[in-house]
Structure formats: C-alpha cells, structure tokens
Amino acid sequence: RRGTVSSRPSASAPTPATSPAGAPVGGLEPNQVTTASLLTALIAAGCAATGTRPGFVAAGVLLIASFVLDCTDGQLARYSLQYSTLGAWLDATFDRAKEYAYYAGLALGAANADGDDVWALALGAMVLQTCRHVVDFSFNEANHDATGNSSPTAALSDRLNSVGWTVWVRRMIVLPIGERWAMIAVLTALTTPRITFYVLLIGCALAACYTTAGRVLRSLTRKARRTDRAAQALADLADSGPLAELGAKVAPRKPSRFLAPCLALCGAVMMVTAADTFAFGSWQLVLLAAFYATCADRAVAAPLKGALDWLVPPLFRAAEYGTVLVLAARSEVNGALPAAFGLVAAVAYHHYDTVYRIRGGTGAPPHWLVRAIGGHEGRILVVTAAAALLHDRNQGFTIALTALAVVIAVTVLIESIRFWVSSGAPAVHDETGEPA
C-alpha cells in the first residue's frame, strides 16, 4: 500500500534498469492507478444501486478489481520511485470514499430491488467502521513515544506472534480492508444488501471488541509515561469546538487517571440513549446536548495523559455519529437517513484528515477550521436543535441535515485540498491489519 511508506524513497531502494527513477511504468503513473481504483469502486456502487442480481454480481466483481488496483498503485510507486505526498493522501482518502460510496450503493440497490430500507444499516456500518479506526489512531498516538512502554499483554502478543498461524488468524479477526472488501463483495453477489450489512456489522463489532479489549488490557497493565506530544495529539483527535474549549479554559482541572474517559463514556451513553428514548423533537434533548458539552469540556480540561485517555476521541465520535444516526432513524422524515449518511461522511472525512496530518508530522488542522465547523459538541447541539425546531415541518429536518453536510464538506475539503497539494508532509495509510 502506497500510504505505508514515506514520500521519500529509501536510499537502498533498487532502481530497475528498465525504469529510470521517476519514469512512468508502461505509461501509467501511480496516481492514475489510484484514480482508476476509485472510479472502479464508484462503478461498482452504481451497479449495486440497480438492485438487480446481475448488478449485484457485477458490483462484487468490480469491488475486488478496485482492491487489486488499490494494491497495485503502491507497488508501481515503489517500482518507479514515484512517491509523492499527494499520491499517499489520495490512496488513504480514496479508500474511505470507495467504501462509503459502496455502502450508499447497496442502500439504493435494496430500495430499488424490493423497497427494503437499509439506510440505517448503511449508516451504522459507516459509524462502526469509523469508530474502530479512531480507536486504532488514538491508541497508537497515545503510545507513539511513551517511555516504559511494556506490559504482560504485549509480551503475550509477542509470544503468539512466534507461532505463524496465530498471526494470520489474529489479522483476519480484526477484519482489515482486504478481508472486509472480499467479504462484502461475495455477500453482495450471493445474498441481499440487508444480509450483507448484517454480516458486516456483526464482523466489525466482533473485531472492535477484540481490538479494543486488547488495547485496554495493554494500557492497564503497562507502566508508561506519556509525553506532551501524545497528549496534544489526543486533544486534536478529540475535535473539541468553542464550547468545550471555553469550558476547559474557564475551569481547568487537575489530571486524573480515569476521569476523562469516564466523562466521555457517560456523555456518549447519555446522548445516544436520550436520542432513542425522548420523543423526536423534544427540547429536553437539546438541554442534554448542552449538558453533554459540559461533560466534554470537563474531559479535556486537563492534558490527556491517563492510561485510558486514548478512549476519549472514539467515545466522542460514537456520541456524535450515534446521535445523528438515532435521530435520523426515529424522525420518520423522508430522506433523513440518506442526509444523515452524508453528514456523517463529511464529518468523518474531517476526522480522518486530522489523523493523516498528525501522522505526517504537521499537526492537526488549523483551529479556525475546527471552530468554524463547531467541534463535536457544537454539531450535536445544532442537530438536536434542528430536530426540535423542524420536527413538525415537512422535510425540514432533512433539509437541515443536508445543508449542514454541504457546509461542512465544502469547508473541510477546500482547506484539506489546499493543505495536501502544498504540503511536504507524508500521508500514512490508516489500516495496517495488525493484530491487537
């Protein structure tokens, strides 16, 4: 995969005699192959959207072809020594675009086939997969340069790695992109979109439980001192907006071992449960969203250096995405779930882009961008307020979600493209398939 290497070639990398450094191979450049992979996946999504059995079969075949091209671009970049920041960013970003576009295609296909509405399942799959990634990102950043970074759990993992077959089993359990796409492709061709999403959600949930449990055990059993850099990375991944920042500045608190993740967990459970319990459009939910902002600012009011503080960003993601999903599902407003799908996709892009920048060594997106799109607590407040204000107006909630998605997508994309086109930082791929 092209995103797993630096944008600069290694000094020891061989230069094939038939391909001078920097020359295209067979007339193809890596970025062209990356773009072809994206286009192939989008065509696959279009085939799935037809809702016919031939369309589903073609979609499965094309999804596999897209993954083959996705692997080929990295090999081509190494062979021709055509590494680039833009190429690595495209490779990492297009993977998310392909997968989520395919989910949307399956949802449209289900509706066209027999009127089955699986948009909630499609959005649930996107939410679960994104939260899984944030767990990986946060854990890795928290322990990137920690001292005393050892634990009995890590030692057990190393011993398991010495037995060859366990490595492959554990890598398959985490359901990385190759195995995941193969499973989705086969299920699309042979079953229905609903069954595909059910199996995907179950597989991703098991993988999330496995990886998260392993990381929690490692964190609790190791004695590691986390650096200021790690704490800042977690704060950036938390994506706190003006409300949380103001509260943290007005009333800072002393560091506490488990307070931050406990507050984030309580806030996430409170918001998602309330969204599912209160009547749609209730102003009580808006008040709870304001209280959630208070929990969020208390969670980040001290440096995130605790053993489990890396759980704060994924819990914030679960709170925001889960609230949007539940509200859209309960609204019973035509088009609300597809609009919510677009909103979560736009916000998720911003969160992935933050990861790529941190891993590239350039730091998080500028503060003005985070403030402009509200932060996670601000967006939750806006969505709950929109539900309360527009719940009795035909299509009002759908229009509000769509408008918010467009504003966030345009704002984030313009700044992101400007940054990556002009930046010299390497982008690092977000899925390694490594066991917990």
Side-chain angles (χ1 to χ4, degrees):
R1 302 302 300 276
R2 182 147 43 122
T4 60
V5 297
S6 168
S7 60
R8 297 182 180 180
S10 169
S12 60
T15 304
T18 57
S19 177
V25 178
L28 289 176
E29 295 182 356
N31 288 354
Q32 293 173 332
V33 178
T34 303
T35 304
S37 175
L38 173 65
L39 293 176
T40 303
L42 294 179
I43 295 173
C47 291
T50 63
T52 63
R53 180 53 52 192
F56 287 144
V57 172
V61 173
L62 287 171
L63 188 64
I64 295 296
S66 174
F67 181 71
V68 172
L69 289 170
D70 194 35
C71 296
T72 303
D73 62 0
Q75 298 300 323
L76 180 59
R78 293 182 183 92
Y79 183 79
S80 60
L81 300 181
Q82 295 184 80
Y83 306 118
S84 71
T85 298
L86 179 61
W89 172 67
L90 290 176
D91 186 48
T93 302
F94 281 3
D95 277 350
R96 302 285 73 77
K98 288 181 286 189
E99 188 165 6
Y100 298 159
Y102 194 81
Y103 293 170
L106 284 176
L108 291 171
N112 289 330
D114 52 14
D116 191 13
D117 186 354
V118 297
W119 274 106
L121 296 178
L123 180 51
M126 180 165 65
V127 168
L128 181 55
Q129 189 57 42
T130 304
C131 290
R132 278 188 61 203
H133 283 155
V134 179
V135 168
D136 295 339
F137 303 153
S138 297
F139 178 80
N140 291 333
E141 289 304 321
N143 296 282
H144 182 268
D145 49 5
T147 57
N149 203 0
S150 61
S151 73
T153 308
L156 174 61
S157 180
D158 292 338
R159 285 197 296 272
L160 289 175
N161 285 341
S162 65
V163 183
W165 66 270
T166 65
V167 176
W168 294 107
V169 170
R170 292 162 67 218
R171 285 182 176 177
M172 290 180 67
I173 290 174
V174 302
L175 208 61
I177 189 169
E179 286 77 359
R180 190 167 68 250
W181 282 20
M183 181 184 72
I184 294 171
V186 172
L187 290 172
T188 299
L190 301 180
T191 65
T192 65
R194 180 173 288 275
I195 293 176
T196 301
F197 281 125
Y198 279 153
V199 175
L200 178 62
L201 285 166
I202 292 171
C204 287
L206 292 174
C209 290
Y210 167 71
T211 55
T212 304
R215 285 164 170 75
V216 168
L217 286 175
R218 288 193 182 203
S219 300
L220 291 175
T221 56
R222 69 171 32 139
K223 296 180 180 179
R225 180 181 299 173
R226 290 177 173 81
T227 63
D228 292 337
R229 176 204 170 277
Q232 183 59 52
L234 291 179
D236 292 333
L237 290 173
D239 192 34
S240 299
L243 295 177
E245 283 187 349
L246 178 62
K249 290 179 180 178
V250 170
R253 62 172 176 82
K254 294 182 179 180
S256 178
R257 190 176 183 186
F258 297 120
L259 182 59
C262 286
L263 285 170
L265 176 61
C266 291
V269 172
M270 176 190 69
M271 281 307 308
V272 176
T273 302
D276 189 47
T277 304
F278 292 164
F280 178 75
S282 170
W283 282 99
Q284 290 176 296
L285 188 60
V286 181
L287 294 177
L288 275 181
F291 180 70
Y292 169 80
T294 302
C295 293
D297 75 51
R298 292 297 81 211
V300 297
L304 296 175
K305 293 186 177 181
L308 297 179
D309 283 1
W310 56 269
L311 285 170
V312 171
L315 287 170
F316 283 166
R317 299 296 81 77
E320 180 180 1
Y321 301 161
T323 301
V324 173
L325 167 60
V326 172
L327 283 177
R330 297 196 62 220
S331 69
E332 299 183 357
V333 177
N334 187 33
L337 276 167
F341 188 95
L343 173 59
V344 173
V347 175
Y349 175 85
H350 164 64
H351 291 144
Y352 280 109
D353 189 53
T354 301
V355 171
Y356 303 149
R357 295 195 195 201
I358 292 174
R359 287 188 170 186
T362 61
H367 276 89
W368 69 261
L369 177 65
V370 178
R371 294 190 184 100
I373 60 176
H376 67 96
E377 79 287 356
R379 289 188 294 270
I380 286 180
L381 191 58
V382 169
V383 171
T384 55
L389 289 169
L390 304 172
H391 72 281
D392 58 348
R393 297 187 181 182
N394 186 32
Q395 300 297 310
F397 187 57
T398 298
I399 294 172
L401 291 179
T402 303
L404 186 59
V406 171
V407 169
I408 291 175
V410 170
T411 304
V412 170
L413 279 172
I414 289 176
E415 202 285 326
S416 177
I417 293 172
R418 179 210 60 78
F419 171 81
W420 286 107
V421 169
S422 62
S423 172
V428 181
H429 198 270
D430 55 290
E431 282 196 77
T432 62
E434 292 300 323

